[in-house]
Amino acid sequence: MNFEIPADTRDIADGLISFIDRFVVPLENAHSDLLATERTRTDERGILVPAVRDLQRTVRKASADAGFYTLFGDPSLGGGGLGEGALAHIQERLNHTYGPPRTLIHEVVIPSVFTNGATPLLLELQPHLRDRHIAAIVSGESTLCFGLSEAGAGSDPQRMRTTAVKDGDEWVINGSKQWITNAAYADFCILFAITDPEAARARRGGITAFFVDTRSEGFECTGIIPLLGQAGSNVGIVSIDELRVPDDHIIGTPNRGLTLALLGISKGRLSMSGMCVGLAQWALDLSLDYAQQRETFDVPIAQHQMIQAKLAEMAIDIYAAKSAVARTAWMVESGQPTRKETSIVKALTTEMLGRVTDSAIQIHGAMGLTNELRIEEAWRLARIVRIPDGTAEIQRRAIALQLLRGDAAL
């Protein structure tokens, strides 16, 4: 068991950081007034203004040209095929370097590994759809959203109420989706609906995935959902009203859509876990610098034991989380069952980030509460990420069930 990061993965991460510093950061600087705050970036509805969306498209396409946008996609889709270990390391490095989400960097240079970009779900499309759409998707010209969650069906997607009824060679879909990332901007949606109500009620499948053009009549993003005081958001609500989708737009096997939706759990949770580890290290770096500069009672606060204890606790938290992520990524790449372990790292890293960012604010005192240092932004994000991709409580339930089934090795 060797957790050393391979040299080629380190080189890719270095290249990614170099690309961002050379191409994206100058764009940020050139459009600093536009990107300054959420109020300048978004309109009265909380949706990114066209100028910002154009900049994001420019970054996506440049990232694709440089080979970063599809790093984790299947090679048959033009992706780099990198595995879970590289995913965790690169997300850690990205977030350690750049901190909390920046409009032209996070989820733009590298999209979600399962719900956008070169997602493996595209392999399940009919050949004529792949031929027609893959090039635009992997080039960053077009983007996706993942229409699974609903107002009453988040952690328990089988409770969804969106239905699809066969009508000739088409399906008529009605319902709504909520908490959908990129809903307001996506060109296509991977949309899930009940196609066999009896099987769905019995929790034996009955849910089908469809590939939907978001410009279709009957598909509309009706609003966005600001989180924790945000003025804008990347999360939206989708209304589906008499949406007609051709039968050949089914993704994979009919009534087996939920199986497809769950295929991305390992990568999704490891990506988020790597992000949390990197962002926690960013917060620790700021705290170390500040503690050695800020003075009270004629000495740097780093000399006070209470501050030293906080710094040490932050390091303990980060080290434990980083180690757990590395081991879990290794297990996934080795082909071992990791249902328990991916739940462990998702709960561990998101809660760790909350503790670390809270300590960072405390070490910085009043400065930690200001927008200027962005620590409060990291702290708010830490609270948010304990909910998506399975809440902390759902993770504990999954862990306990695996333990009780005999999967008790740690």
Side-chain angles (χ1 to χ4, degrees):
M1 190 185 304
N2 182 2
F3 295 149
E4 184 175 355
I5 305 300
D8 57 347
T9 299
R10 293 198 303 270
D11 289 344
I12 291 170
D14 288 343
L16 173 66
I17 300 304
S18 176
F19 166 77
I20 294 172
D21 286 344
R22 287 184 295 102
F23 184 82
V24 185
V25 173
L27 271 182
E28 289 182 323
N29 294 336
H31 299 275
S32 57
D33 290 344
L34 174 64
L35 301 171
T37 69
E38 285 184 310
R39 292 177 179 83
T40 59
R41 295 191 296 265
T42 60
D43 61 19
E44 67 281 357
R45 300 167 297 170
I47 295 175
L48 292 173
V49 298
V52 173
R53 294 160 68 176
D54 288 343
L55 287 172
Q56 288 185 331
R57 184 182 299 106
T58 297
V59 171
R60 289 197 306 267
K61 295 176 73 172
S63 179
D65 289 343
F68 298 115
Y69 190 73
T70 56
L71 276 177
F72 306 104
D74 190 276
S76 66
L77 297 172
L82 296 187
E84 286 76 8
L87 171 63
H89 173 72
I90 289 170
Q91 283 290 1
E92 177 189 329
R93 181 77 185 280
L94 178 70
N95 286 275
H96 187 182
T97 304
Y98 300 107
R102 286 159 60 167
T103 307
L104 299 187
I105 297 177
H106 297 78
E107 296 190 6
V108 179
V109 175
I110 296 178
S112 165
V113 293
F114 191 71
T115 63
N116 202 349
T119 168
L121 292 177
L122 296 175
L123 295 171
E124 301 294 329
L125 290 179
Q126 293 290 330
H128 74 280
L129 290 177
R130 287 203 303 269
D131 293 343
R132 189 185 311 164
H133 299 298
I134 291 297
I137 293 170
V138 300
S139 73
E141 178 65 35
S142 299
T143 64
L144 308 172
C145 65
F146 194 72
L148 179 65
S149 296
E150 298 184 4
S155 296
D156 184 6
Q158 293 247 206
R159 289 178 59 85
M160 74 170 58
R161 298 191 175 188
T162 299
T163 60
V165 178
K166 190 74 177 294
D167 181 21
D169 60 357
E170 293 181 320
W171 292 82
V172 181
I173 306 178
N174 287 279
S176 64
K177 298 293 176 178
Q178 191 162 309
W179 315 113
I180 308 304
T181 300
N182 203 43
Y185 315 112
D187 299 282
F188 301 99
C189 178
I190 298 168
L191 181 64
F192 295 83
I194 292 173
T195 46
D196 184 339
E198 184 176 341
R201 280 193 297 271
R203 295 179 177 268
R204 295 195 306 267
I207 294 172
T208 298
F210 297 87
F211 186 75
V212 174
D213 188 325
T214 59
R215 297 167 299 181
S216 301
E217 183 178 354
F219 186 101
E220 181 183 5
C221 178
T222 54
I224 60 93
I225 309 172
L227 306 174
L228 290 183
Q230 296 173 344
S233 174
N234 195 32
V235 178
I237 301 169
V238 174
S239 173
I240 305 121
D241 182 20
E242 294 294 299
L243 171 68
R244 303 188 76 89
V245 179
D247 185 57
D248 62 6
H249 281 53
I250 286 177
I251 303 173
T253 304
N255 299 315
R256 303 298 296 168
L258 194 55
T259 301
L260 285 178
L262 298 178
L263 290 176
I265 284 179
S266 292
K267 278 196 170 182
R269 290 178 180 169
L270 283 168
S271 179
M272 181 179 289
S273 296
M275 179 272 288
C276 288
V277 171
L279 191 51
Q281 291 184 84
W282 172 86
L284 176 59
D285 287 350
L286 289 183
S287 300
L288 286 168
D289 289 342
Y290 186 79
Q292 294 174 81
Q293 296 171 18
R294 174 76 163 93
E295 291 188 358
T296 61
F297 307 105
D298 302 322
V299 296
I301 62 172
Q303 294 187 25
H304 300 316
Q305 285 187 331
M306 292 297 289
I307 298 298
Q308 292 174 358
K310 286 191 179 298
L311 293 170
E313 287 163 3
M314 293 164 76
I316 291 168
D317 252 347
I318 294 169
Y319 184 82
K322 181 171 182 173
S323 299
V325 172
R327 183 176 185 271
T328 302
W330 169 79
M331 291 179 68
V332 173
E333 289 189 329
S334 301
Q336 301 181 48
T338 56
R339 184 171 183 179
K340 173 177 85 270
E341 288 75 12
T342 53
S343 288
I344 287 173
V345 296
K346 201 281 181 176
L348 173 66
T349 56
T350 54
E351 293 176 359
M352 172 277 297
L353 181 59
R355 292 190 295 270
V356 168
T357 53
D358 188 78
S359 291
I361 288 174
Q362 200 69 18
I363 289 169
H364 284 80
M367 284 299 297
L369 301 174
T370 66
N371 295 351
E372 179 182 351
L373 299 184
R374 303 179 67 226
I375 303 173
E376 55 80 28
E377 190 176 343
W379 177 76
R380 284 187 287 126
L381 177 62
R383 187 60 189 87
I384 289 171
V385 295
R386 285 164 54 191
I387 302 295
D389 285 346
T391 65
E393 292 73 26
I394 285 292
Q395 306 306 336
R396 284 168 169 78
R397 176 180 181 271
I399 294 163
L401 288 175
Q402 287 300 110
L403 292 171
L404 293 169
R405 289 168 181 156
D407 179 13
L410 294 168

